[in-house]
Amino acid sequence: MILRALGGSLRVRLTVVFGLMFFVAGAAIFGGALILVGNSMEYTLNLPFTAVQPVPVPPPPDEPLPTDRTTPTAQPAPGRTVLPDGERPAPPESSEPTIRPSEERWGYATSEPVLIDPASRATVLDSMQKNLMAKGGLAVLGVGIVATTSGWLVAGRLLRPLNRITSTAERIAGRTLHRRIDLDEPPGEVKRLADSFDSMLDRLDEAFAGQDRFIANAAHELKTPLAVGRTLVEVAVARPGAPAEVQRLGENLLAVNERHERLIDSLLTLARAESTVTGGLPVDLAAIAGAVVGQAGPAATARGITITVEAGAAPAVGDPVLLEQLVRNLVDNAVKYNRPEGWIRVTTGTDRAGVRITVANTGAVIGTHEIPVLFEPFRRLTDRVGSARGSGLGLSIVRAVARTHNGDATAVPLPDGGLEVTATLPPADGTATGPRASGRRRPAG
């Protein structure tokens, strides 16, 4: 529970573990020391004590104790020689130890053994324990702080290879799959992790390269027969003397052929949006929105739809082709699924969430529970297949492109009918990381 409350930082967790381990070990040692010292002191204070005191020793019988040491007429005792001032007699040649003058008059005596009373013994023990606990606790605390700081430094050194792996993975996810970790460390768990990650990147790089080749080949193989069929139909319709039935059939076939071409283009755009791994370029969503609205103007005017543009600065970083397709799909959907004499409002700008473009339009009433269906491929609200108005991939491509650029797309139904779709992208101020490598999430519903 404690480690979970600290968050996801592995360095902080290791530091806390190191610090707790030291404090637990230090507390155990300190507690043991208190018990041992207390037992030793209690044993010592229970022993009997004897007092040693100095006592005077009487002079020899033939030498009276002088009453005035400064009297110069003091006579020596019989058999003794008076020496000049400042001189001492030579020590006698004897095995007996020499007695110094200071010991000639004083000795030592011991008293009877005594015991310390219980009240004094308890006072001494209590004072000793308080002193030991105060100073010992401060010592453990100080050393614990030093040990915890050392644990923080050691944890940072141990996690340095993992930080390198993480930073490399973030750069790879944001830019390209061609970079590798190439960790230069001795063999071990971290080295095996880095090598496994490099091997995974190799396989992913090969898979994405193969997918790009497949998309290019599929575009050629699918669109070439349609182009040939369209040419043959146009030649047959334009032939002199062609019956009216043939011309009507040719027009229908050309319409179906055009729809198939749009469907293939949408599928290829969706596949490209979900597999983009290259770096981005600076783009302005406001400029893209202005150009797309200008191109959609004739179709909107033909249905009596009014388009209003509120273009605010919206600098972003990404693939210009994909971002133009994102805006184009939003505007085309607003025109196709609008009502006659309706309106469309296109707004671009920047806020705390990032760069955004919002397209709102009138139309049929849509329930909130139906919004997730709009972002699924080939899903429509009124007709599933055979729609002349679209292929059911418009908003799927919008969300795929937004998520490829580390953004997202959301939709909100309007109270009086219609829809408001907002695509949000990271701003171009250093926080944007460009199209991501892992943009293969299926459009969620």
Side-chain angles (χ1 to χ4, degrees):
M1 296 296 294
I2 297 178
L3 296 180
R4 183 176 299 178
L6 294 175
S9 176
L10 185 58
R11 185 176 186 181
V12 174
R13 293 186 177 188
L14 288 176
T15 303
V16 171
V17 169
F18 292 157
L20 288 177
M21 290 177 61
F22 175 82
F23 277 110
V24 170
I29 296 175
F30 182 57
L34 281 177
I35 295 174
L36 294 177
V37 172
N39 292 338
S40 177
M41 288 293 296
E42 187 174 0
Y43 173 78
T44 303
L45 294 176
N46 285 330
L47 295 177
F49 287 86
T50 56
V52 179
Q53 297 178 349
V55 296
V57 178
D62 56 348
E63 183 178 355
L65 184 65
T67 59
D68 188 2
R69 295 181 180 271
T70 60
T71 304
T73 59
Q75 298 297 325
R80 293 194 178 187
T81 306
V82 179
L83 297 177
D85 292 340
E87 293 189 11
R88 292 180 177 273
E93 297 181 359
S94 173
S95 59
E96 297 295 332
T98 305
I99 300 177
R100 293 177 297 184
S102 61
E103 297 177 349
E104 291 179 350
R105 297 295 183 264
W106 297 90
Y108 297 92
T110 58
S111 62
E112 293 295 330
V114 294
L115 294 175
I116 299 179
D117 61 282
S120 300
R121 183 167 58 250
T123 302
V124 172
L125 288 174
D126 184 64
S127 175
M128 179 274 301
Q129 289 179 353
K130 289 182 179 180
N131 185 51
L132 185 59
M133 289 185 64
K135 295 181 178 179
L138 290 177
V140 172
L141 179 61
V143 178
I145 294 175
V146 175
T148 303
T149 304
S150 302
W152 170 266
L153 299 176
V154 172
R157 179 64 183 88
L158 294 176
L159 295 176
R160 189 176 300 172
L162 291 180
N163 292 332
R164 180 179 173 184
I165 294 175
T166 302
S167 60
T168 303
E170 290 175 350
R171 290 195 299 269
I172 291 172
R175 295 293 180 181
T176 177
L177 286 175
H178 302 305
R179 297 178 64 90
R180 297 296 180 268
I181 296 176
D182 293 330
L183 187 63
D184 185 15
E185 292 287 339
E189 292 79 1
V190 178
K191 176 66 175 176
R192 290 199 301 270
L193 174 62
D195 293 343
S196 300
F197 193 81
D198 286 341
S199 300
M200 180 189 67
L201 291 177
D202 291 335
R203 293 192 295 271
L204 286 176
D205 195 8
E206 295 175 359
F208 279 115
Q211 185 178 18
D212 291 340
R213 290 192 298 268
F214 171 77
I215 292 174
N217 295 333
H220 176 74
E221 295 297 332
L222 293 176
K223 297 180 73 172
T224 299
L226 291 177
V228 173
R230 183 180 67 252
T231 302
L232 294 177
V233 172
E234 290 175 348
V235 171
V237 172
R239 182 179 301 174
E245 294 80 2
V246 173
Q247 292 183 354
R248 287 194 298 269
L249 177 61
E251 292 175 358
N252 292 334
L253 291 177
L254 288 176
V256 172
N257 189 282
E258 183 181 359
R259 181 180 182 278
H260 287 168
E261 288 181 349
R262 291 199 306 267
L263 176 60
I264 292 175
D265 290 338
S266 299
L267 288 173
L268 295 177
T269 302
L270 180 61
R272 184 188 175 197
E274 291 185 341
S275 63
T276 297
V277 296
T278 57
L281 299 175
V283 295
D284 187 1
L285 293 184
I288 295 178
V292 171
V293 168
Q295 297 173 3
T301 302
R303 301 187 58 191
I305 299 174
T306 303
I307 301 180
T308 304
V309 179
E310 300 176 2
V317 173
D319 188 323
V321 177
L322 290 179
L323 293 179
E324 181 181 357
Q325 189 66 42
L326 180 150
V327 179
R328 187 181 304 279
N329 282 13
L330 289 176
V331 176
D332 287 348
N333 277 4
V335 174
K336 292 176 183 177
Y337 300 100
N338 212 320
R339 65 168 183 256
E341 306 299 329
W343 54 266
I344 299 174
R345 183 175 65 251
V346 180
T347 307
T348 61
T350 304
D351 53 22
R352 289 184 296 179
V355 178
R356 58 176 174 78
I357 176 170
T358 302
V359 177
N361 62 276
T362 53
V365 178
I366 302 175
T368 305
H369 64 281
E370 296 175 316
I371 295 298
V373 179
L374 298 177
F375 289 98
E376 295 183 5
F378 304 108
R379 296 294 300 273
R380 308 174 187 87
L381 294 180
T382 56
D383 51 353
R384 290 186 54 84
V385 294
S387 173
R389 292 188 294 178
S391 59
L393 293 173
L395 292 183
S396 300
I397 294 175
V398 169
R399 174 167 283 182
V401 173
R403 289 181 172 178
T404 301
H405 290 77
N406 294 328
D408 202 357
T410 58
V412 177
L414 299 179
D416 298 330
L419 196 65
E420 181 180 274
V421 183
T422 302
T424 305
L425 304 175
D429 57 357
T431 59
T433 58
R436 67 180 179 212
S438 58
R440 298 201 56 77
R441 291 188 298 180
R442 299 298 301 171

